[in-house]
Amino acid sequence: MSSRPWIRSSSVPLVALSTRSSLARSQIIVSRDIDNATIAGLSEWQCVAVRAPKFSLASSRSSERRRTNGSCKKTGAASVANILSSCSGSAQFRSRSCFYRQFSAYSSQKFAASVSVTMVAETIDGNAIAKSIRESLNAEIGTIQATNPLFKPSLTIIQVGSRPDSSTYVRMKLKAAEEANIVCELKTFPDTISEVELLREISSLNDDPSVHGVLVQLPVPDHISEIAVTNAVSAEKDVDGFGPLNVGELAKRGGSPLFVPCTPKGVMVLLKEAGVELSGKKVVVLGRSDIVGSPVSYLLRNADATVTVCHSRTKGLENYLKDADVVVSAIGKAQFVKGDWLKPGAVVIDVGTNFIPDSTKKSGQRLVGDVDFESASAVASKITPVPGGVGPMTVAMLLQNVVDAAKRYYAEQAKRHITPLPLNILAKVPSDFEISRAQKPKHIRDLAREIGIQDSELELYGAHKAKIQLSLLDRLQHRKNGKYILVTGITPTPLGEGKSTTTVGLVQALGAHLGKIAFANVRQPSMGPTFGIKGGAAGGGYSQVIPMDEFNMHLTGDIHAIGAATNLLAAAIDTRMFHERSQKDGPLYKRLVPSKRGVRKFSPVMFRRLKKLGIDKTNPDDLTPEEISRFTRLDIDPATITWRRVVDCNDRHLRSITIGQGPAEKGHTRETGFDITVASECMAVLALSNSLADMRERLGRMVVASSKAGEPITCDDIGAGGALTALMKDAIKPNMMQTLEGTPVMVHAGPFANISIGANSVLADKMALKLAGTEPGEDEAEKAGYVVTEAGFDFTMGGERFFNIKCRSSGLVPDVVVIVATVRALKLHGGGPDVTPGVSLPEVYRKEDVELLRKGCANLGKHISNAKQYGLPVVVAINKMETDTPAEIECIKEEALKAGADDAIPSNHWAEGGKGAVALAEGVVAAATKTEGKDFKLLYELEQSVEDKLNAIAQKMYGAEKVELSDLAREKVETYTRQGFGDLPICVAKTQYSLSHDPSLKGVPTGFTVPIRDVRASVGAGYLYALAAEIQTIPGLPTHCGFMDVEVSEDGEIEGLF
């Protein structure tokens, strides 16, 4: 048997030749598997007929048959055996040319002109090859799934209309896909669908990461452009290979198409499997279509064949064909190519699919190719049949392309990398703004692609910032999270510790110098401080987020959306009180639930209040008068309203205002005030939400006041929860920017650190951790990336809230805590003189003083001790200044290690960028990858009483003896506990300038009592906050404001920021 089961012929039995003159010919048909014994055993007038390859020895006269019978039996048989023996071990015999040449020479010598040799072509069985490919794909998919169960190659076929032939082809593809273990979905549309609608469907599939291949079954109706449709399929999913990128790359010499069109690819596989060597051969391609003719000519050319493309109008076509070693016919004319047009021994690939009348068929027609199979088989050495040749290979190649697309998709996910931006570092560090302006950022789309964000998941806001869709979390849910690093600091001082700068510098070191996927996750700054006195929050020196002007002003408008949502709810509260005071139950109910086109029905949000009241009716007309009164009357107690309007600006004159003074308000005035926008509970909700649905629920349950009966009044009671969600639906998507060295930065949410968690959003962290995470089967130690986020103020405030509030909401646990300290700040905690921003520093902060520094290290030691209570490694980052001495750096290292830190590492990222933080990054990596000693635990249980939780924070974190609640605070605690909010975590609002509540107490004070003046509820955000100091929730402006230095140049560039 042949070694290739798909090279086949029919089996012909042994027959005895008659000497009757009526026989015009005698034949000897031999094959490679005939042996000498068989031939030697032939009697006179016999021939042997066996399996292909077939050759015929013919004699035209009976006299010649009689004259040569002895030779046929003896000399002839022996010589045939010798020829077979010499050729069967040769690689040349695979194409039968060896036997053909030698036997022709032999027959010419022995039988002269009376004998001719006729070739009977081998049939190349496309069905068998295609089946083998499907089985191979099935096995390959199973092998990959053994290590990555998520690997599921997926093809979506779009069929427009219901043409019978298209439906037949689609069924073939669906069946073949099932055999190959490929997910295949058919989307059918009526032939009335518009081109715009069809293109929209294709675009949706392009954006679906679970779909690896998209195929539009052609033809489409006349009113739809096939070019527009095929061009609309993204190149990465163009498994048909008809898109402009794939066709163009194929046409280029040395091009790299993502996919080769299926039929031309199938032709090449058929030639390869049939053992046809193409290099140097003359090939004629008959047909010039973009689907077969042209692309197959490119493939043949790339195989070093000499290719001639002909068509039905080519003059002298037969001459081209007679000279061709290989013929590929795709001309679309039934039985157009005749056998006598072909060169003896040529290989014929028939791509044609044509129907001719055939009364023996049920359908009345028969499928044939472009080549007259019967006559061509007598001349060609190999030929593909129709059907059963190229057709099944086209489907097989489609499936191969789908699997290749899936493999490429997963390979791209594994090839995540960051291409760093070079930094031109100057010895004399320029201003932050000058450094930012001097660096040209990457296009944000390019950075997104580097880290594995798909174009469809990116919403561009210009060239350097973008939002990321939450669908990314669904796509990457299978990944194991990357490493999670929390950056905090010592107790803040006016000198600053450089926490944000350290966060950025550490990420630049991890991403640009250690080759890790690394994210800096930071809060969005308010424009109040930007135009006031504090400045921006983009880092500084050569460790910044850029462009820093876009970072500090507007960004993508999230803060404005929060302001709109907050003020809408404020307006809704006052409006509801106004209407309740001026209307009776009946009219008020009719206006709340109006009849529209004769039908009354509740708004969706109203069902939430009905459920809260225990009313299970859905028809507004079914409520009783008592139920109507309960439903309509919120009966808000004005004295309990906690919801305030907001503005993203420092404006001291809005802290206390009176509203309702216009004549139309009919004397319904009340005192209230404004907060800065980032102090709104809507901001805290944004920061702590885990999804859009979660944000909707949190916004709805925000408590804005109490009724006169003491019941909590929520946003959903007002009816505004859905509207607030609508205003913030885009704000919930994290924003992405970059550092000076081109590493990614997530900028999202900015809750006020004084009265909230002071950290970026949960969603930004979750998203970055997945992008920095590892795929199944990847080496975590090698591939895991890092997400570096920060907590507001010091560890004792920001870190404590981060763990007990944010981590409770997210379920995430950091791998390492980094505490930032500076020599200057520690000297101040050691008893150094007070400093004032803008005034020259006292000499002690500019000269070496190890003794003063060592005293101040007690503050660092307390923060280390506090952090270790959570059971995590602690690394101290010593943010170097140019005045620091080696002895001072060594002092901090000694004291940090003595206090329990895992390491203490100096870092010069402000002056050197990521290069200056490489040692710190290496230390963080080492701490993050260690497993021993990690035992994460929270500070308190939620079931504890509010006062017990306050005491746990004050005693364990601050070093206090106890807390003391004022009468107002105690009354509020009792109210919140009665209302069901007593099991929420606690945020203590106090000064950031001391471990205690008193900003004058530096170092590590002990034994003090923390006075709790008031307790308020952020029920939607999910915590209570206790006021241990007078906290201004909207700052004022200084005499010289930041906005005074800001200008815009003629070319539109902002100047004068920081």
Side-chain angles (χ1 to χ4, degrees):
M1 293 293 293
S2 168
S3 62
R4 293 180 176 82
W6 41 83
I7 308 298
R8 60 179 173 80
S9 71
S10 59
S11 178
V12 182
L14 279 170
V15 295
L17 292 175
S18 168
T19 59
R20 290 180 300 174
S21 60
S22 61
L23 287 178
R25 288 177 178 272
S26 64
Q27 290 187 325
I28 297 177
I29 303 175
V30 296
S31 88
R32 76 174 75 183
D33 51 353
I34 193 169
D35 55 23
N36 290 345
T38 302
I39 296 177
L42 293 175
S43 56
E44 292 184 23
W45 315 110
Q46 284 184 326
C47 75
V48 68
V50 292
R51 289 189 181 275
K54 294 181 181 178
F55 301 88
S56 299
L57 173 64
S59 173
S60 61
R61 297 195 302 269
S62 59
S63 60
E64 289 297 335
R65 289 201 301 275
R66 288 194 295 272
R67 195 162 45 116
T68 61
N69 68 52
S71 297
C72 183
K73 178 180 179 182
K74 298 176 183 178
T75 307
S79 297
V80 170
N82 290 336
I83 293 170
L84 285 169
S85 177
S86 68
C87 290
S88 61
S90 169
Q92 294 176 335
F93 188 73
R94 295 170 61 190
S95 64
R96 297 185 303 161
S97 57
C98 170
F99 180 84
Y100 179 77
R101 288 195 305 273
Q102 294 195 37
F103 193 79
S104 294
Y106 169 78
S107 62
S108 296
Q109 176 185 353
K110 292 295 183 182
F111 306 112
S114 63
V115 178
S116 65
V117 178
T118 304
M119 179 172 286
V120 180
E122 295 174 354
T123 303
I124 305 174
D125 190 347
N127 281 323
I129 300 175
K131 181 180 179 182
S132 175
I133 290 171
R134 292 195 301 272
E135 292 172 348
S136 176
L137 291 174
N138 191 313
E140 181 181 13
I141 291 169
T143 300
I144 296 174
Q145 288 177 342
T147 56
N148 182 7
L150 298 167
F151 182 78
K152 295 178 181 177
S154 172
L155 168 68
T156 296
I157 300 173
I158 292 177
Q159 182 181 359
V160 181
S162 55
R163 284 176 52 125
D165 54 345
S166 292
S167 297
T168 299
Y169 293 141
V170 167
R171 284 195 298 271
M172 290 169 53
K173 292 167 184 174
L174 291 171
K175 181 181 178 183
E178 183 179 5
E179 292 178 9
N181 193 23
I182 291 172
V183 178
C184 189
E185 179 186 4
L186 173 63
K187 296 176 78 74
T188 59
F189 300 98
D191 53 15
T192 56
I193 188 173
S194 69
E195 182 176 301
V196 171
E197 291 172 316
L198 182 58
L199 294 178
R200 187 182 302 126
E201 292 291 338
I202 294 172
S203 177
S204 176
L205 292 171
N206 288 340
D207 294 343
D208 186 346
S210 68
V211 176
H212 303 113
V214 177
L215 181 148
V216 181
Q217 183 65 43
L218 300 177
V220 292
D222 292 341
H223 67 279
I224 297 175
S225 165
E226 285 191 1
I227 294 176
V229 166
T230 54
N231 288 359
V233 178
S234 70
E236 295 80 8
K237 299 186 180 186
D238 176 29
V239 290
D240 239 352
F242 292 162
L245 184 145
N246 288 313
V247 170
E249 284 296 312
L250 182 61
K252 286 166 51 180
R253 184 170 181 82
S256 300
L258 296 176
F259 302 103
V260 172
C262 302
T263 299
K265 186 175 182 179
V267 168
M268 299 303 291
V269 173
L270 285 171
L271 290 168
K272 178 181 178 182
E273 293 296 334
V276 178
E277 176 59 49
L278 292 169
S279 179
K281 297 293 178 62
K282 296 179 180 179
V283 181
V284 168
V285 176
L286 190 53
R288 51 184 172 178
S289 73
D290 292 333
I291 295 175
V292 180
S294 294
V296 82
S297 71
Y298 306 147
L299 294 171
L300 290 163
R301 179 197 64 191
N302 292 339
D304 296 324
T306 301
V307 183
T308 302
V309 178
C310 299
H311 46 84
S312 59
R313 297 184 181 180
T314 299
K315 294 181 179 180
L317 178 61
E318 296 177 31
N319 295 328
Y320 287 104
L321 294 175
K322 280 186 177 293
D323 196 37
D325 300 306
V326 178
V327 174
V328 179
S329 181
I331 202 167
K333 292 189 175 184
Q335 300 177 329
F336 178 74
V337 178
K338 310 303 181 185
D340 56 6
W341 296 6
L342 301 173
K343 176 181 180 180
V347 176
V348 178
I349 304 296
D350 192 348
V351 185
T353 53
N354 313 284
F355 288 94
I356 61 173
D358 188 338
S359 59
T360 66
K361 298 292 183 180
K362 184 178 180 180
S363 64
Q365 56 184 5
R366 173 165 55 96
L367 179 65
V368 298
D370 293 346
V371 179
D372 180 19
F373 187 80
E374 184 176 355
S375 64
S377 296
V379 180
S381 62
K382 304 175 192 289
I383 190 170
T384 57
V386 178
V390 176
M393 288 300 297
T394 298
V395 178
M397 294 301 98
L398 170 66
L399 302 182
Q400 179 70 69
N401 281 350
V402 173
V403 173
D404 289 345
K407 289 161 61 177
R408 185 182 295 114
Y409 169 79
Y410 285 101
E412 286 297 322
Q413 298 303 302
K415 290 196 303 187
R416 305 179 303 279
H417 71 287
I418 294 173
T419 303
L421 291 175
L423 264 183
N424 180 25
I425 295 177
L426 304 178
K428 184 178 180 181
V429 179
S431 72
D432 293 349
F433 191 73
E434 289 174 316
I435 293 172
S436 172
R437 185 58 57 82
Q439 181 66 298
K440 182 174 177 57
K442 302 175 189 175
H443 196 290
I444 199 68
R445 181 179 55 242
D446 296 335
L447 177 58
R449 288 172 177 170
E450 289 178 2
I451 58 178
I453 298 174
Q454 297 184 349
D455 287 355
S456 60
E457 294 166 336
L458 205 65
E459 297 178 6
L460 297 177
Y461 282 70
H464 305 130
K465 55 185 184 287
K467 280 191 168 292
I468 305 173
Q469 294 184 3
L470 301 187
S471 58
L472 178 142
L473 290 170
D474 295 325
R475 178 172 67 86
L476 301 181
Q477 61 181 321
H478 62 280
R479 280 192 189 168
K480 185 174 182 179
N481 286 345
K483 301 297 183 181
Y484 196 24
I485 313 301
L486 173 63
V487 175
T488 66
I490 60 172
T491 303
T493 70
L495 294 170
E497 289 67 56
K499 192 160 70 308
S500 296
T501 304
T502 301
T503 296
V504 175
L506 173 57
V507 167
Q508 290 180 177
L510 288 165
H513 297 271
L514 298 187
K516 305 289 185 182
I517 297 293
F519 288 81
N521 279 19
V522 299
R523 290 181 291 164
Q524 178 182 353
S526 165
M527 285 195 295
T530 296
F531 291 119
I533 192 171
K534 180 179 179 292
Y542 286 105
S543 295
Q544 291 188 54
V545 180
I546 57 171
M548 63 107 71
D549 52 345
E550 296 183 28
F551 174 83
N552 284 294
M553 295 194 346
H554 299 297
L555 197 61
T556 58
D558 293 352
I559 291 180
H560 300 314
I562 289 165
T566 303
N567 292 337
L568 173 62
L569 181 53
I573 293 168
D574 289 311
T575 297
R576 184 60 173 266
M577 293 170 63
F578 173 82
H579 288 301
E580 285 190 27
R581 289 171 183 168
S582 59
Q583 300 178 64
K584 294 183 178 181
D585 290 352
L588 179 61
Y589 184 55
K590 287 182 179 180
R591 289 182 173 88
L592 279 174
V593 192
S595 175
K596 296 181 180 179
R597 296 180 181 177
V599 178
R600 292 184 73 196
K601 59 181 182 179
F602 292 115
S603 299
V605 71
M606 293 178 176
F607 288 106
R608 295 173 179 254
R609 176 154 177 81
L610 289 168
K611 182 179 179 180
K612 175 180 177 179
L613 297 173
I615 302 172
D616 59 1
K617 298 174 182 178
T618 58
N619 185 347
D621 296 328
D622 292 344
L623 268 64
T624 67
E626 187 269 338
E627 289 171 336
I628 289 174
S629 181
R630 291 172 57 211
F631 174 77
T632 58
R633 296 290 170 186
L634 301 181
D635 201 22
I636 296 172
D637 181 355
T640 65
I641 297 174
T642 57
W643 200 259
R644 291 157 62 94
R645 289 165 174 82
V646 296
V647 62
D648 191 30
C649 176
N650 290 2
D651 190 345
R652 67 178 72 246
H653 293 91
L654 293 177
R655 290 170 180 167
S656 296
I657 62 171
T658 301
I659 61 172
Q661 293 184 330
E665 281 64 59
K666 302 177 182 179
H668 295 156
T669 63
R670 71 179 181 91
E671 291 185 357
T672 181
F674 274 74
D675 293 334
I676 196 164
T677 305
V678 293
S680 167
E681 186 177 352
C682 288
M683 176 64 87
V685 165
L686 179 72
L688 291 167
S689 293
N690 288 277
S691 66
L692 180 62
D694 184 30
M695 184 176 76
R696 169 63 184 91
E697 294 303 315
R698 288 173 179 269
L699 290 172
R701 64 175 179 257
M702 292 188 303
V703 174
V704 300
S706 293
S707 70
K708 292 175 181 176
E711 294 300 316
I713 303 299
T714 67
C715 176
D716 273 345
D717 288 328
I718 301 292
L724 267 61
T725 307
L727 286 168
M728 293 172 58
K729 72 177 182 64
D730 291 319
I732 197 174
K733 303 168 189 174
N735 309 295
M736 190 172 78
M737 297 186 73
Q738 61 192 287
T739 68
L740 281 167
E741 296 192 58
T743 58
V745 180
M746 293 286 191
V747 187
H748 197 220
F752 205 40
N754 301 80
I755 62 170
S756 187
I757 61 171
N760 71 299
S761 76
V762 166
L763 279 169
D765 287 355
K766 287 188 170 183
M767 193 172 284
L769 285 166
K770 290 301 181 186
L771 288 166
T774 50
E775 293 281 344
E778 287 185 337
D779 182 356
E780 184 182 356
E782 178 184 350
K783 296 288 290 184
Y786 289 76
V787 177
V788 183
T789 188
E790 62 181 8
F793 301 137
D794 58 8
F795 178 84
T796 297
M797 287 180 68
E800 180 272 316
R801 297 170 187 176
F802 188 95
F803 287 126
N804 292 302
I805 299 177
K806 185 176 180 181
C807 289
R808 271 194 166 101
S809 176
S810 68
L812 302 172
V813 178
D815 294 282
V816 178
V817 175
V818 176
I819 299 177
V820 181
T822 62
V823 170
R824 297 187 312 187
L826 288 174
K827 285 180 178 179
L828 191 149
H829 284 294
D834 289 339
V835 297
T836 303
V839 178
S840 179
L841 284 177
E843 187 177 3
V844 67
Y845 298 114
R846 293 180 279 113
K847 294 183 62 176
E848 182 177 296
D849 191 334
V850 175
E851 182 179 352
L852 181 63
L853 175 63
R854 197 174 299 275
K855 290 179 182 178
C857 283
N859 183 273
L860 171 62
K862 174 59 176 172
H863 288 289
I864 294 171
S865 173
N866 285 350
K868 296 295 284 187
Q869 290 189 54
Y870 294 89
L872 297 175
V874 175
V875 173
V876 173
I878 305 170
N879 186 14
K880 289 181 65 177
M881 307 287 178
E882 60 183 357
T883 55
D884 298 346
T885 68
E888 289 174 326
I889 297 296
E890 190 60 33
C891 172
I892 296 176
K893 292 178 67 174
E894 288 176 7
E895 294 300 321
L897 296 175
K898 188 188 302 182
D902 293 70
D903 209 343
I905 305 168
S907 181
N908 196 23
H909 45 274
W910 181 82
E912 298 179 6
K915 178 183 177 182
V918 168
L920 174 61
E922 291 172 339
V924 168
V925 169
T929 53
K930 66 184 291 188
T931 56
E932 67 278 2
K934 289 186 179 180
D935 181 25
F936 180 70
K937 49 187 174 293
L938 294 169
L939 195 64
Y940 52 79
E941 299 296 328
L942 294 179
E943 294 75 20
Q944 293 177 242
S945 70
V946 172
E947 190 166 356
D948 285 346
K949 286 181 278 195
L950 283 167
N951 272 313
I953 296 170
Q955 293 167 356
K956 296 178 182 179
M957 293 288 101
Y958 308 159
E961 181 181 347
K962 62 180 180 179
V963 297
E964 185 174 82
L965 277 66
S966 68
D967 292 341
L968 174 62
R970 195 169 298 279
E971 179 184 341
K972 290 282 195 71
V973 168
E974 291 172 356
T975 299
Y976 294 141
T977 302
R978 184 181 70 255
Q979 292 176 341
F981 308 135
D983 59 353
L984 294 176
I986 306 292
C987 171
V988 179
K990 71 174 192 69
T991 179
Q992 68 267 35
Y993 294 117
S994 172
L995 285 166
S996 73
H997 61 288
D998 184 349
S1000 66
L1001 299 178
K1002 304 296 183 183
V1004 186
T1006 58
F1008 53 90
T1009 297
V1010 178
I1012 304 298
R1013 300 187 305 103
D1014 194 3
V1015 177
R1016 297 173 185 171
S1018 289
V1019 177
Y1023 58 84
L1024 304 177
Y1025 65 97
L1027 297 173
E1030 184 66 37
I1031 303 296
Q1032 294 291 354
T1033 53
I1034 182 166
L1037 290 170
T1039 303
H1040 183 88
C1041 303
F1043 64 74
M1044 295 177 177
D1045 301 318
V1046 177
E1047 287 291 347
V1048 178
S1049 66
E1050 291 184 0
D1051 58 1
E1053 295 290 341
I1054 297 173
E1055 298 175 347
L1057 280 176
F1058 323 125

